[in-house]
Amino acid sequence: MPIGEFCTKSVVTARSDESVADAAKKMLEKNVGTIIVVDLQTVPIGMITDRDVAVRVVAEGRDPGSTRIGEVMSEDPIVLNEERGIFEAVKTMCEQGVRRVPIVNGDGRLSGILSLDDLIMIFGEEMASIAVVVAYGSSRISTKKIAVG
């Protein structure tokens, strides 16, 4: 299963020269905790999270209005191509210890984001489908045993 089919396509983005205050407003308006920082070609160059705002800006006494995203973002994010498989994505996220991964197309441009929440939903739906098959199969077996016995 290519992750491009399952990732969240509507990604909140910002430029590195925007203020942290603007990033926080975007997070509030869009109800997200992560913003992907992109260059002019929409290639991911960093990420900023609500935790970054709290720890790297507020806790350090910086002014969110004058602090630029580029000063506090995590640079060079781990990205995955949208053609990669879902199990490879899980492995990469586990190995790298990340909860979110920007997804890029063949040109390296942002095409989505994959989070642990997305993976839980995908695997949960798959497990529910398996449970239906198991339950259906069990009920057929039980019915046959009753009819025969």
Side-chain angles (χ1 to χ4, degrees):
M1 293 189 246
I3 55 177
E5 293 178 24
F6 299 100
C7 67
T8 301
K9 297 292 185 181
S10 59
V11 184
V12 180
T13 63
R15 300 270 317 280
S16 62
D17 59 349
E18 292 180 42
S19 74
V20 171
D22 289 337
K25 287 175 189 170
K26 284 183 183 182
M27 289 177 186
L28 176 64
E29 291 168 1
K30 302 295 185 176
N31 193 31
V32 298
T34 301
I35 293 178
I36 305 301
V37 185
V38 294
D39 65 13
L40 290 172
Q41 290 76 38
T42 67
V43 172
I45 60 169
M47 295 173 71
I48 185 167
T49 66
D50 47 7
R51 186 174 193 284
D52 293 328
V53 173
V55 173
R56 295 181 181 170
V57 180
V58 176
E60 292 182 4
R62 296 183 186 202
D63 174 24
S66 63
T67 303
R68 301 292 117 196
I69 292 172
E71 297 173 43
V72 295
M73 71 181 187
S74 298
E75 297 182 41
D76 301 320
I78 294 158
V79 299
L80 289 171
N81 184 285
E82 62 192 2
E83 297 300 320
R84 298 292 177 121
I86 196 161
F87 293 110
E88 182 177 351
V90 170
K91 181 179 178 195
T92 299
M93 292 171 79
C94 288
E95 288 173 349
Q96 299 299 319
V98 295
R99 297 178 52 87
R100 296 167 199 89
V101 177
I103 305 303
V104 296
N105 63 19
D107 296 327
R109 293 189 169 130
L110 185 66
S111 64
I113 187 167
L114 185 68
S115 71
L116 284 180
D117 292 349
D118 296 328
L119 293 171
I120 290 169
M121 291 298 294
I122 292 165
F123 289 125
E125 290 171 3
E126 292 301 316
M127 292 304 292
S129 296
I130 292 169
V132 167
V133 170
V134 169
Y136 177 71
S138 295
S139 68
R140 288 185 58 201
I141 292 169
S142 297
T143 305
K144 287 182 179 180
K145 285 183 180 178
I146 292 170
V148 173

